[in-house]
Amino acid sequence: MPTHPNPYRQGLDRNAANHVPLTPLSLIGWAADVYPDRCAVVHGPLRRTWAQLRERSVRLASSLAAMEIGEGDTVAVMLPNTPPMIEAHYGVPMSGAVLHCINTRLDAATVAFVLEHSDSKVLIVDREFAEVVRAAIGLMQAAGKSLPVLIDVDDPEYSGPGECFGDIAYEDLIARGDPAHVWQPPEDEWDAIGLNYTSGTTGNPKGVVVHHRGAYLNAVGNVLAWNLPRHPVYLWTLPMFHCNGWCFPWTLAAMAGTNVCLRRVDPALIFGLMREHRVSHYCGAPIVHATLIAAPAALRAGIDWQVKAMVAGASPPAAMIEGMAKMGFDVTHVYGLTEVYGPAAACAKHDEWTALPIGEQADLNARQGMRYQVQQACTVIDPQTGLEVPRDATTMGEVVFRGNIVMKGYLKNQAATREAFAGGWFHTGDLGVLHADGYVKLKDRAKDIIISGGENISSIEVEDALYRHPAVMAVAVIARPDEKWGETPLALVELRPDFAPADDQATQALAAALIEHCRQHLARFKCPREIRFMTLPKTSTGKIQKHLLRTQLKSASAIG
């Protein structure tokens, strides 16, 4: 190594002219400057240009600043895929605050928890979710907690139940904002931009904190991984509360694309919007794609161009990928987690694969693949040694990530953060193998997590709810394969002796009662679809042996 001073470090320091913190907020400025009149947002009859989207985002930032919301504060949103959700991805961080996207399918108790844990000062809520929020606010009031300022969104495209009860209407908030407001990029690109809660493996929600640098890089990484062209027409089938919509609210600005909004996943709506706006791209969990495959062919009539789809979630079956190919849709399979900004690995295709039978192509495309270009590494390691497993497609280990699109850590949870980053890797908790070409293939999910329709469900959380019923002595919740949802919770229950049902009719009634009991304590999507009664296998210390239950479920024999 040379001992003389490095001339490339002498007098060549960072300054305001040559160094600006990376932030995805810069992308909307580019889109609005270069393509001010190009359509940025479509929602029903509503059309907004990139210039208008920027102005409304700045107005939102101005109004939040007037409310003394800024650096270190949290602004929560509980919104569907509508224009205010897109605006929040720009306007909230423009104010200096952190955007906290709440899963719209959560129950009131969990909404109350994440609002309190995040110290959310403001909550922007769509009328559809008003009753859940009202109940959550009631729980917070009863516990003497500080309450957020409520901003109501009354979407003209929504005609369902729900009554606004907040402090101010969203459109009034935008109207009173200053369009000339000058916002500043973060002082440090490592500053937080987003907060997204994930149930993890403990049943207690953990707040994943992501930063401006990572959000910028993954927004651009989506372009590289998907070979995204200029001016894509993107349909919002993926909930934007999922990992900030996999960073696509910012990606669309980078390519001056069009955001086609969609409040709910429905094949007729999706194919109709595809035809009307000539949609070129969309993302979603396997259930979304499977729903489109199963839809009547007549709904697809008139879509005579190739639509490009991105799929992630529970490992998609090759049959689903094959079905999309037969439908004429080009599927890119990606893999990631909330902790890595959504997708951070992709199954990059090779030209020679096209010569293979479609079934073999689907098998290759069903792998999780390789890291994004903007991620440093993704591999499979032996949990004991920390070394990469052999590339034999057989030896299982834990899938790990390292790089610039890995979270800052878990909010107010240093122990979980240290555990997640042990050994200089982010540990996913997923089990996988490495193929000879270095591509990752998942073999099993983290033991206690069920992936249903793209949603993480903690088995422990479901078990806790069932344990509240007086009939339950012991319970184990495991994933049951489901053609529609990928996986659904299956509850295996050991009853107290005095609750043993007398006959089949009583057994069915008790199972139904337990499912209804869960619905009183959990969001509906977390509730088990089936209850089976049995004596659970246990270790000598009384620990339930879930691995035996999973093995039995996969076998031809009945579980109970």
Side-chain angles (χ1 to χ4, degrees):
M1 296 289 293
T3 56
H4 59 78
N6 186 339
Y8 295 100
R9 292 180 179 171
Q10 304 300 311
L12 302 174
D13 300 324
R14 296 180 184 180
N15 59 65
N18 67 17
H19 180 78
V20 177
L22 295 177
T23 173
L25 304 181
S26 64
L27 300 173
I28 194 172
W30 177 86
D33 285 343
V34 181
Y35 298 103
D37 299 323
R38 193 166 188 92
C39 184
V41 177
V42 171
H43 184 48
L46 175 70
R47 305 289 185 274
R48 289 201 178 111
T49 66
W50 279 103
Q52 291 170 327
L53 177 56
R54 175 172 62 180
E55 179 183 323
R56 288 178 61 87
S57 300
V58 170
R59 283 180 178 271
L60 174 57
S62 169
S63 289
L64 291 173
M67 296 166 62
E68 298 186 346
I69 299 297
E71 185 178 350
D73 292 327
T74 307
V75 174
V77 297
M78 197 164 181
L79 301 168
N81 291 346
T82 53
M85 186 59 140
I86 301 170
E87 292 160 7
H89 275 79
Y90 290 98
V92 171
M94 281 177 177
S95 74
V98 175
L99 176 63
H100 169 204
C101 294
I102 300 178
N103 186 329
T104 60
R105 300 167 189 169
L106 293 179
D107 58 283
T110 308
V111 172
F113 174 86
V114 298
L115 286 173
E116 178 191 346
H117 186 264
S118 64
D119 297 314
S120 292
K121 300 293 194 298
V122 176
L123 171 59
I124 303 174
V125 59
D126 187 274
R127 181 166 62 87
E128 181 178 357
F129 315 116
E131 294 312 307
V132 172
V133 170
R134 190 192 296 273
I137 294 299
L139 292 172
M140 295 176 72
Q141 281 180 317
K145 305 299 182 182
S146 298
L147 303 180
V149 176
L150 291 178
I151 311 297
D152 289 318
V153 174
D154 193 359
D155 179 11
E157 293 299 303
Y158 177 67
S159 59
E163 183 178 350
C164 293
F165 69 103
D167 302 290
I168 184 173
Y170 180 78
E171 288 304 320
D172 291 341
L173 186 75
I174 296 298
R176 74 188 191 186
D178 181 3
H181 173 74
V182 178
W183 64 275
Q184 298 294 329
E187 292 185 11
D188 187 342
E189 59 191 21
W190 180 250
D191 287 347
I193 189 173
L195 173 67
N196 301 289
Y197 279 83
T198 178
S199 62
T201 58
T202 64
N204 298 316
K206 291 184 290 188
V208 175
V209 181
V210 293
H211 50 70
H212 284 257
R213 175 182 176 83
Y216 177 92
L217 289 172
N218 212 33
V220 174
N222 286 331
V223 176
L224 298 174
W226 212 2
N227 194 24
L228 201 65
R230 186 70 55 91
H231 309 314
V233 180
Y234 181 89
L235 179 62
W236 273 108
T237 49
L238 172 75
M240 277 186 246
F241 66 69
H242 267 311
C243 319
N244 299 108
W246 299 353
C247 293
F248 273 95
W250 302 307
T251 296
L252 269 291
M255 305 310 289
T258 300
N259 295 270
V260 180
C261 295
L262 179 72
R263 286 191 66 101
R264 61 187 174 88
V265 172
D266 177 87
L269 290 175
I270 289 172
F271 287 123
L273 289 171
M274 284 182 176
R275 269 192 304 273
E276 182 180 358
H277 303 293
R278 201 174 177 85
V279 166
S280 60
H281 294 76
Y282 75 97
C283 297
I287 179 60
V288 174
H289 307 281
T291 300
L292 298 184
I293 293 171
L299 292 179
R300 302 195 298 269
I303 302 175
D304 54 3
W305 61 93
Q306 187 177 65
V307 178
K308 295 184 181 297
M310 189 176 271
V311 60
S315 189
M320 185 277 290
I321 293 178
E322 184 175 348
M324 293 296 290
K326 290 179 178 178
M327 202 166 69
F329 285 27
D330 180 66
V331 178
T332 296
H333 178 203
V334 295
Y335 164 67
L337 305 90
T338 306
E339 290 89 340
V340 292
Y341 297 75
C347 188
K349 301 173 185 176
H350 291 250
D351 292 341
E352 55 268 29
W353 294 0
T354 59
L356 298 173
I358 191 168
E360 292 184 31
Q361 291 184 48
D363 287 336
L364 290 169
N365 287 330
R367 298 180 298 171
Q368 280 58 47
M370 298 279 266
R371 67 190 181 278
Y372 262 31
Q373 293 96 318
V374 295
Q375 185 71 298
Q376 183 66 29
C378 173
T379 191
V380 180
I381 64 171
D382 183 317
Q384 301 301 317
T385 66
L387 301 177
E388 186 173 275
V389 300
R391 298 187 175 191
D392 56 9
T394 300
T395 307
M396 284 206 298
E398 185 179 20
V399 182
V400 291
F401 282 99
R402 174 187 291 157
N404 288 305
I405 50 173
V406 173
M407 65 173 179
K408 287 169 70 80
Y410 297 113
L411 183 68
K412 303 176 186 176
N413 196 335
Q414 295 182 10
T417 300
R418 285 194 298 270
E419 182 180 355
F421 293 150
W425 291 98
F426 166 64
H427 294 261
T428 68
D430 290 333
L431 299 179
V433 298
L434 283 178
H435 283 245
D437 56 5
Y439 276 42
V440 173
K441 171 67 176 177
L442 289 188
K443 286 297 183 181
D444 198 4
R445 286 287 186 175
K447 290 187 297 182
D448 296 328
I449 285 293
I450 300 163
I451 311 297
S452 183
E455 296 283 356
N456 281 4
I457 301 173
S458 168
S459 63
I460 295 176
E461 184 179 5
V462 183
E463 289 162 4
D464 286 344
L466 283 165
Y467 272 121
R468 297 178 190 177
H469 194 283
V472 175
M473 183 170 67
V475 60
V477 174
I478 61 175
R480 181 189 68 174
D482 186 276
E483 289 185 2
K484 181 178 181 182
W485 299 106
E487 297 174 348
T488 55
L490 166 63
L492 308 169
V493 175
E494 187 170 333
L495 294 171
R496 296 182 183 277
D498 51 338
F499 280 87
D503 51 33
D504 287 345
Q505 185 175 357
T507 299
Q508 294 174 12
L510 181 55
L514 288 176
I515 293 174
E516 182 57 33
H517 168 80
C518 288
R519 290 173 178 168
Q520 302 303 314
H521 297 279
L522 300 169
R524 197 175 186 89
F525 76 92
K526 295 182 179 180
C527 297
R529 302 299 180 90
E530 182 184 358
I531 305 284
R532 299 184 189 179
F533 300 112
M534 63 180 296
T535 300
L536 296 171
K538 305 177 187 71
T539 66
S540 58
T541 59
K543 184 177 180 181
I544 297 171
Q545 296 176 299
K546 282 191 175 182
H547 66 283
L548 294 181
L549 296 171
R550 292 191 185 95
T551 300
Q552 292 173 21
L553 181 63
K554 292 178 181 178
S555 71
S557 61
I559 289 184

